[in-house]
Amino acid sequence: MIVSRRNFILSSTAASALAGMGWPAFAAINPKLATMLDAIVDDELAISPEQLSYLGMDSGNRASARTKLDDRSVKARARTFTNIAKYQKMLASVDRASLQGHDVLLYDSVAYELVNGAAGARFSYGSVGTFGGGSPYVISQQDGAYQSIPEFLDSVHRIEVSADAEAYLSRLAAFAVVLDQETEQFRHDVAAGVLPPDFVLDTALAQMKGLRATPAAQLRMVASITRRTQEKGIAGDWSARATKIVSGTVYPALDRQLAAVTAARAKATSDAGVWKLPQGEAYYSWGLQYATSTDLTPEQVHQMGIDQGRELDGHMDAVLKTQGLTQGTIGERLAALSKDSRQLFPNTDAGKGDAVAYVQSKISELRAMLPQISKMQLKADIQVKRVPPDIEAGAALGYMNFASLDGKRPAIYYINLQDTGNWPKFTIPSLSAHEGLPGHAWQGAYVAEHRDDVPLISSIMGFNAYTEGWALYAEQLVDELGFYKNDPFGQLGMYQAMRFRASRLVVDTGLHTKKWSRNQAIDYLASSTGRARVACTSEIDRYCASPAQACGYKVGHSEIVRLREKAKAELGPKFDIRDFNDAVIQTGAAPLVVLSTGIEDYIAKQKLG
């Protein structure tokens, strides 16, 4: 149950604290809880200008955030743990026993995240979040300002008037500062024995060198402000000023980072897992608990992947046989299909444009199915984009940036087309259900389009198993509703995607607890899923840089399916798939144990109704 603020008295303190942020103060049933949560949000957003821009809340009395980037210094990392302790005291000031309805779920979710974040204090390295989780490496092929800030400036920082362009230049100058901050943290971590694997550093170095080798005037960071000011008719020498900042401050900072990473590369090994790091076993357990929001052990997760993979093999074998593909192992047959020219887009700019158009066509088909999926009428606008070429070598194969909460920026669905062979046509429908509708874009749309009902704190917490579990469930859901009734290869792609997530459980735990080598993990992933080896290599490198994160998908999906079967069994003829789906989304970002409580509440209400 989501409690609408329209039905309860607003907290004047919270309303004052959030004034000008473009977000209604959340009014829980318990006004003390509402005030406390809004105060936490206000405190957190005050130190995260990038988060304010992502949320679309960098206006009014928060407009100065548009000139700044987040602090990535060693001091900022230490401040995170001070804030966690402060927020835990604030949460403890509210008597949980006095809460009812959705307030209990919200309270428990915040408490869960803060406990996980506090546990990160045991580790003196890497990044860590106030609301849990982190990465052991501040710089990798997918982590670091060098690869995130150019895209942030281009896609998130809005330019409508001259002041916005001036703010862009301020942020461009701040880019040099955050590069140096990360270089300092990187050197600190290396001195403590925390080095990414050599192959991770090789990809990161290649991307950094590619950035540095580009003439400043030709960089996306410069081209972006030049193009957008011209489109808006904003007079000024924006290109020349941006070029001067890059040449004079950004490039020297990037040179310093390159020197630090190059020096570390000379000491790095090919050991892939975090078992090699100080307190490596404990670090992975912490990461796994955050990624899955369960107490499952690495061995239990590993076995889950093996067991579910075996079941999915049976489904894939059946579909393959209906299409006359009977020779070889399942992985071999899928690999052959992935190389079939009829399934491939040409690996050219034109072919990549066709791939994006095909994604957009699938999003349109999925949008037409939404009335079967939900009773909520969400707009859920989506923009499909290629992963920018300057970061595609280290980026995930597909991902979503949620829409801004003010409705001015749609969700952005990124597909990595460095090699179109990574995305045969039969794999794209399932990916589009996952990243787009009714997957991640749908999740984000509920929050953005129900601002009166969703507390802002839900947008700054992240529960990996809930978020990714829903998106994987979305892939299965559209199959059950007939999305693939005339597309057996698309259904096969869905099963392959499920198998891919099951195999992730095996390789991630294998890498980080069983001391698997990179090649051992690639071999398993490629042979069990039939995915292209280059795609599997990119994925394995991702798991090395983000230990445990990939385990949240299948664990979360399995729990949502379990809860659905429970609801079906208890409700009988009263069960409506749309009500169940809406209940999962309306419970909000939550650890799986809290999601279970939310679904139990939904079941109880349906019985009474």
Side-chain angles (χ1 to χ4, degrees):
M1 178 182 66
I2 292 292
V3 180
S4 173
R5 65 184 282 271
R6 288 186 292 268
N7 297 328
F8 300 98
I9 299 173
L10 286 174
S11 159
S12 60
T13 302
S16 175
L18 297 178
M21 296 175 73
W23 186 269
F26 171 62
I29 295 175
N30 184 300
K32 186 175 181 179
L33 178 67
T35 301
M36 182 271 299
L37 293 180
D38 287 340
I40 290 176
V41 170
D42 190 48
D43 198 50
E44 274 297 289
L45 292 181
I47 59 174
S48 183
E50 291 173 38
Q51 180 82 295
L52 282 166
S53 292
Y54 272 115
L55 294 174
M57 297 173 60
D58 52 358
S59 59
N61 64 3
R62 297 283 185 177
S64 63
R66 297 173 62 75
T67 67
K68 304 170 186 175
L69 297 175
D70 288 359
D71 187 349
R72 291 163 168 80
S73 67
V74 174
K75 288 183 179 179
R77 187 184 190 280
R79 184 179 61 217
T80 296
F81 298 111
T82 300
N83 286 347
I84 291 171
K86 177 173 67 175
Y87 300 155
Q88 286 182 309
K89 287 182 180 179
M90 291 169 65
L91 191 65
S93 70
V94 177
D95 179 11
R96 184 182 181 279
S98 68
L99 304 178
Q100 56 182 304
H102 193 267
D103 288 7
V104 179
L105 306 182
L106 187 57
Y107 183 100
D108 289 347
S109 295
V110 176
Y112 191 99
E113 285 282 71
L114 291 174
V115 167
N116 184 270
R122 292 175 291 169
F123 313 106
S124 62
Y125 53 86
S127 63
V128 67
T130 300
F131 294 102
S135 172
Y137 311 120
V138 294
I139 298 172
S140 70
Q141 86 283 14
Q142 61 185 36
D143 296 299
Y146 82 91
Q147 56 86 33
S148 65
I149 295 304
E151 176 62 12
F152 171 81
L153 290 172
D154 187 32
S155 295
V156 178
H157 184 102
R158 292 195 295 271
I159 296 180
E160 301 293 339
V161 297
S162 180
D164 299 333
E166 292 289 354
Y168 184 105
L169 293 181
S170 295
R171 275 179 157 164
L172 190 58
F175 184 20
V177 176
V178 300
L179 282 169
D180 281 334
Q181 289 172 340
E182 287 185 340
T183 300
E184 178 189 12
Q185 179 71 48
F186 181 80
R187 286 183 171 132
H188 167 275
D189 291 354
V190 170
V194 180
L195 280 82
D198 53 13
F199 51 85
V200 163
L201 291 178
D202 287 341
T203 304
L205 283 168
Q207 294 182 143
M208 294 166 71
K209 290 175 181 177
L211 178 65
R212 183 63 179 88
T214 305
Q218 298 176 22
L219 280 178
R220 181 157 53 108
M221 293 178 287
V222 176
S224 179
I225 189 173
T226 304
R227 182 190 74 255
R228 292 193 282 159
T229 51
Q230 289 176 348
E231 290 172 351
K232 296 293 182 178
I234 303 172
D237 55 345
W238 305 109
S239 179
R241 292 173 66 189
T243 299
K244 183 178 180 180
I245 291 170
V246 171
S247 299
T249 61
V250 174
Y251 273 170
L254 183 59
D255 287 337
R256 291 188 287 272
Q257 189 163 105
L258 269 164
V261 177
T262 299
R265 172 61 180 85
K267 306 173 187 177
T269 71
S270 61
D271 291 335
V274 293
W275 54 265
K276 67 180 181 180
L277 303 182
Q279 298 179 276
E281 181 179 348
Y283 188 94
Y284 187 70
S285 293
W286 173 64
L288 191 64
Q289 188 269 333
Y290 174 73
T292 67
S293 64
T294 70
D295 293 325
L296 292 172
T297 67
E299 188 59 41
Q300 288 172 318
V301 171
H302 190 85
Q303 191 60 47
M304 178 187 293
I306 292 172
D307 293 341
Q308 294 196 10
R310 188 180 299 117
E311 178 183 351
L312 287 161
D313 285 345
H315 292 302
M316 290 192 292
D317 186 44
V319 177
L320 285 164
K321 286 178 177 175
T322 67
Q323 301 306 304
L325 300 171
T326 60
Q327 300 301 310
T329 67
I330 293 167
E332 289 169 346
R333 281 177 276 169
L334 287 168
L337 182 63
S338 297
K339 296 175 184 176
D340 187 330
S341 61
R342 292 169 294 182
Q343 292 289 340
L344 298 177
F345 295 98
N347 201 30
T348 62
D349 286 340
K352 293 173 184 182
D354 289 343
V356 170
Y358 187 66
V359 170
Q360 291 170 329
S361 73
K362 291 302 165 183
I363 290 293
S364 296
E365 291 178 28
L366 288 162
R367 189 176 296 279
M369 297 182 67
L370 292 179
Q372 302 175 66
I373 292 167
S374 169
K375 291 180 179 178
M376 299 185 292
Q377 297 179 347
L378 304 180
K379 295 178 182 178
D381 292 334
I382 302 172
Q383 180 182 4
V384 181
K385 293 180 65 174
R386 283 181 58 186
V387 173
D390 55 346
I391 62 171
E392 62 188 2
L397 294 177
Y399 55 94
M400 167 67 67
N401 279 357
F402 287 126
S404 62
L405 298 180
D406 61 2
K408 294 182 179 179
R409 188 186 69 252
I412 303 176
Y413 163 6
Y414 289 93
I415 181 168
N416 192 329
L417 295 172
Q418 180 186 27
D419 182 347
T420 55
N422 291 336
W423 288 118
K425 289 181 182 178
F426 75 94
T427 65
I428 286 178
S430 187
L431 174 71
S432 299
H434 183 104
E435 303 295 351
L437 303 174
H440 289 320
W442 188 252
Q443 289 174 309
Y446 173 72
V447 176
E449 297 174 31
H450 286 76
R451 292 168 32 150
D452 284 353
D453 299 324
V454 182
L456 184 53
I457 198 165
S458 293
S459 291
I460 64 174
M461 293 191 298
F463 292 95
N464 183 60
Y466 168 85
T467 303
E468 298 297 352
W470 167 266
L472 189 53
Y473 167 71
E475 298 182 45
Q476 173 182 330
L477 178 63
V478 297
D479 173 48
E480 295 168 337
L481 294 175
F483 185 45
Y484 304 112
K485 62 183 178 182
N486 297 315
D487 183 11
F489 285 119
Q491 185 183 52
L492 181 64
M494 183 271 298
Y495 283 131
Q496 184 193 43
M498 290 280 182
R499 182 61 166 102
F500 194 66
R501 276 43 172 262
S503 294
R504 279 176 169 176
L505 302 182
V506 179
V507 296
D508 198 276
T509 51
L511 286 163
H512 297 295
T513 67
K514 297 180 180 296
K515 301 186 179 181
W516 282 20
S517 70
R518 180 199 193 199
N519 283 336
Q520 185 178 359
I522 293 170
D523 288 343
Y524 182 92
L525 195 60
S527 64
S528 63
T529 67
R531 294 287 295 269
R533 190 171 182 84
V534 64
C536 292
T537 300
S538 174
E539 284 290 306
I540 292 302
D541 290 357
R542 169 188 163 191
Y543 312 154
C544 292
S546 300
Q549 188 273 338
C551 295
Y553 297 68
K554 203 68 182 69
V555 172
H557 163 260
S558 298
E559 178 63 5
I560 291 173
V561 172
R562 184 192 72 81
L563 291 171
R564 188 180 68 174
E565 295 311 303
K566 175 183 173 72
K568 281 183 179 179
E570 294 195 25
L571 293 177
K574 287 188 174 182
F575 178 82
D576 186 321
I577 187 64
R578 297 170 299 171
D579 290 331
F580 173 82
N581 295 336
D582 290 348
V584 174
I585 293 297
Q586 292 169 1
T587 294
L592 295 183
V593 65
V594 175
L595 176 62
S596 178
T597 302
I599 297 304
E600 288 172 2
D601 290 348
Y602 142 77
I603 293 172
K605 285 181 61 180
Q606 293 299 108
K607 286 180 177 179
L608 290 174

